[in-house]
Amino acid sequence: QVHLVESGGGLAQPGGSLRLSCAVSGFTEDWYAVGWFRQAPGKAREGILCIDSRDGGTNYEASVNGRFTVSIDNAKNTVYLQMNSLRPEDTGIYYCAAEVMMGPCVMTDWRYDYWGQGTQVTVSS
């Protein structure tokens, strides 16, 4: 049974930083993709970035590129999302998702079967 647990959300001021974690367990394969998604109030869920556990390959959505960084510690089966230069529009519930995936990781939610419970990120002064 694949299980994902997120942690690290909270309140940050504009321009501040937060780091989210996603602990992954239960995959029988030794490689998988992890995507991060967020849902702002009243808006659809959107994919913001992803990482491939095999080679650390990443993809970023334009609005977070250069501000957010994703990394993986394969020894701990944990993915980290470092968020810098936060903006009020980054507010939302952040979800990590995982899936065994051929080819580069993608930020399309229907491609992922396994999801964490979500963690709230609020950026406000």
Side-chain angles (χ1 to χ4, degrees):
Q1 182 80 14
V2 176
H3 195 50
L4 283 71
V5 178
E6 297 131 347
S7 59
L11 175 66
Q13 293 188 338
S17 298
L18 284 173
R19 189 176 82 155
L20 307 183
S21 299
C22 175
V24 181
S25 62
F27 274 111
T28 56
E29 297 83 0
D30 60 2
W31 52 269
Y32 48 84
V34 173
W36 281 95
F37 298 81
R38 67 184 179 191
Q39 187 164 20
K43 294 188 177 181
R45 185 169 59 193
E46 62 171 343
I48 57 173
L49 50 82
C50 63
I51 188 166
D52 186 332
S53 71
R54 290 171 296 176
D55 59 7
T58 58
N59 282 309
Y60 290 87
E61 191 269 334
S63 70
V64 304
N65 195 24
R67 300 188 299 124
F68 291 10
T69 303
V70 63
S71 61
I72 188 167
D73 183 336
N74 282 316
K76 297 181 178 179
N77 290 323
T78 299
V79 174
Y80 301 98
L81 173 55
Q82 179 66 44
M83 304 186 292
N84 298 329
S85 301
L86 283 164
R87 304 168 180 168
E89 54 264 39
D90 294 319
T91 294
I93 301 174
Y94 283 67
Y95 301 89
C96 63
E99 186 58 77
V100 174
M101 193 173 292
M102 298 298 293
C105 67
V106 298
M107 297 173 283
T108 308
D109 57 3
W110 61 263
R111 293 287 302 273
Y112 292 86
D113 283 340
Y114 307 103
W115 291 79
Q117 80 283 3
T119 186
Q120 177 70 44
V121 170
T122 302
V123 183
S124 175
S125 56

